[in-house]
Amino acid sequence: MIKARNDWKLDEIKALFEIPFNDLLFKAHSIHRENFDPNQVQVSSLLNIKTGACPEDCSYCSQSSKYDTGLEREKLMEIDEVLQQAQNAKNKGATRFCMGAAAWRNPTDKSLDKVIPMIQGVKAMGMETCVTLGMLSPKQASTLKEAGLDYYNHNIDTSKENYPNVITSRTFQDRLDTLAAVKDANISVCSGGILGMGETETDRASMLQSLANLEQHPDSVPINLLVPIPGTPFENIKPPSESEFVRTIAVARILMPKSVVRLSAGRLDMGEGMQALCFFAGANSIFYGEQLLTTDNPTVANDKLLFSRLGINGEDYQQSVAQELTL
Ligand code: SAM
Ligand code: DTB
Ligand code: SF4
């Protein structure tokens, strides 16, 4: 088994992108099989606990106050409703519950106090907890850890070079600083990006290089396909081709062999064949449930059908590993 590296050179990664498609997929799938059950896909559920009016200017986002996306601003959801939604997600088979207060640049300590009982409540239901709240200080990261948080989602979104074309209200380094605070607090890191924001193949290679060369690979790497939002600067941007998207999943799997690669937003625009190729290339997690944060996701019934056609077991692979160990 090849040891995971964090000293990838950009040219090496670009060379992976150039391999013939079948050879790349074979390589990625072989690495995938060495590290995971190829027929197991972890399912997570997402809930937006605070919607709209975000002061940042991310050009892809429905929740930025800089663009007229027609989204109604909502205040932080009440805890009872959050826990009810978490229970529904659990009943539908989700093993991780992710809460997004996406409409914050960073949480105030007062707002963090409101999120903490939500984390504790979801954890008490026996699910893994994940939140995405924007930028965090080291102290806030420690507070979340003490509350029992398992994962923090904070995407680098695109390459360092393409970053200023996507977001100007914060820097790429701000993102890396929050990721360092999360890691130092011993919270598992969930970090990835979006394809389809005008980036070149070199940008995709550079984005994956930044993730793979972190001191520790992120535990989860969400790869989103841009969901174009009317009213944002990227509403009419050209999407990547299907093979370009699948190649990126394959390269992510090769660079970060033990990370869970999540086929995240954009699955409504992908057919069965493309999703199957993504799972073959190394994706082994999805968001499950009709809604992402503000946009639609395939229905649970459709995903069940997809999994049954592909012979995929949608349970948490970590649970099955634990079961194997106790046998
Ligand atoms: N405010 C938090 C932050 O910036 O980290 C939470 C952001 S939330 C909306 C999480 C991630 O979803 C974003 O970082 C981005 O990668 C992804 N995302 C947001 N809008 C998207 C869209 N329209 N299409 C695809 N991915 C999107
Ligand atoms: C991630 O990488 N993708 C999720 C989650 N992390 C928080 C969010 C996708 C959002 C898609 C657009 C929307 O629904 O607003
Ligand atoms: Fe705000 Fe996050 Fe959307 Fe950027 S991605 S506008 S920070 S909610």
Side-chain angles (χ1 to χ4, degrees):
M1 197 176 292
I2 307 160
K3 200 171 163 287
R5 292 173 46 186
N6 59 0
D7 59 353
W8 288 94
K9 306 273 175 295
L10 186 63
D11 282 348
E12 288 178 284
I13 303 174
K14 283 173 72 173
L16 286 173
F17 272 95
E18 296 306 319
I19 306 179
F21 189 74
N22 287 337
D23 293 339
L24 177 66
L25 257 61
F26 182 72
K27 190 176 169 67
H29 187 70
S30 307
I31 291 176
H32 188 50
R33 270 182 183 265
E34 282 175 18
N35 293 286
F36 293 99
D37 176 341
N39 302 313
Q40 202 92 36
V41 168
Q42 183 253 347
V43 299
S44 304
S45 187
L46 249 183
L47 178 69
N48 206 6
I49 57 172
K50 166 84 179 77
T51 308
C54 180
E56 304 248 15
D57 68 356
C58 311
S59 299
Y60 52 79
C61 189
S62 61
Q63 312 207 54
S64 166
S65 58
K66 310 285 182 225
Y67 317 120
D68 185 7
T69 64
L71 198 71
E72 295 270 335
R73 173 189 192 147
E74 286 167 27
K75 57 180 187 5
L76 186 66
M77 199 179 266
E78 295 295 336
I79 179 151
D80 292 353
E81 193 179 347
V82 173
L83 297 184
Q84 184 58 55
Q85 299 269 7
Q87 189 59 53
N88 294 347
K90 188 178 156 94
N91 296 345
K92 285 182 187 160
T95 53
R96 185 180 305 170
F97 193 65
C98 306
M99 291 168 276
W104 287 333
R105 182 167 202 267
N106 52 273
T108 58
D109 291 347
K110 216 170 120 199
S111 45
L112 213 58
D113 286 346
K114 294 192 181 150
V115 174
I116 281 167
M118 298 176 184
I119 295 170
Q120 291 165 333
V122 173
K123 203 148 169 78
M125 286 175 194
M127 277 190 286
E128 289 183 311
T129 53
C130 174
V131 294
T132 177
L133 310 172
M135 292 190 272
L136 288 186
S137 68
K139 187 167 160 281
Q140 290 179 319
S142 305
T143 307
L144 288 169
K145 174 71 187 176
E146 278 160 27
L149 184 68
D150 297 303
Y151 288 83
Y152 195 79
N153 167 249
H154 200 67
N155 291 344
I156 61 169
D157 284 338
T158 189
S159 66
K160 179 166 77 244
E161 298 75 21
N162 194 37
Y163 206 79
N165 302 324
V166 178
I167 301 152
T168 65
S169 53
R170 58 168 187 248
T171 64
F172 194 74
Q173 187 58 46
D174 289 333
R175 297 307 266 187
L176 298 181
D177 291 347
T178 293
L179 290 178
V182 170
K183 184 197 121 272
D184 289 346
N186 280 323
I187 299 169
S188 299
V189 167
C190 168
S191 187
I194 308 178
L195 302 194
M197 300 197 298
E199 74 283 351
T200 61
E201 193 173 271
T202 304
D203 287 314
R204 289 178 197 138
S206 170
M207 175 179 93
L208 293 180
Q209 182 191 26
S210 294
L211 294 169
N213 286 352
L214 289 171
E215 215 174 295
Q216 268 174 32
H217 291 170
D219 298 82
S220 320
V221 180
I223 304 290
N224 297 275
L225 172 65
L226 178 79
V227 180
I229 309 282
T232 61
F234 288 168
E235 69 174 306
N236 293 316
I237 205 160
K238 189 171 168 274
S241 74
E242 295 191 353
S243 68
E244 284 172 322
F245 188 91
V246 178
R247 268 182 191 279
T248 310
I249 298 268
V251 176
R253 169 53 64 225
I254 294 168
L255 302 187
M256 295 168 277
K258 292 184 189 302
S259 303
V260 170
V261 175
R262 182 169 307 116
L263 180 57
S264 299
R267 288 195 304 117
L268 269 184
D269 290 325
M270 299 177 197
E272 179 180 298
M274 179 167 171
Q275 293 185 67
L277 274 179
C278 289
F279 295 135
F280 186 77
N284 56 352
S285 173
I286 58 163
F287 283 119
Y288 207 48
E290 281 73 17
Q291 257 232 320
L292 290 167
L293 289 173
T294 65
T295 65
D296 292 341
N297 197 39
T299 62
V300 167
N302 276 346
D303 279 337
K304 285 207 160 126
L305 188 60
L306 175 74
F307 281 1
S308 86
R309 283 179 173 156
L310 301 180
I312 282 177
N313 180 356
E315 277 174 11
D316 186 352
Y317 71 90
Q318 283 167 340
Q319 274 180 13
S320 44
V321 170
Q323 276 159 12
E324 274 167 31
L325 291 176
T326 50
L327 279 178

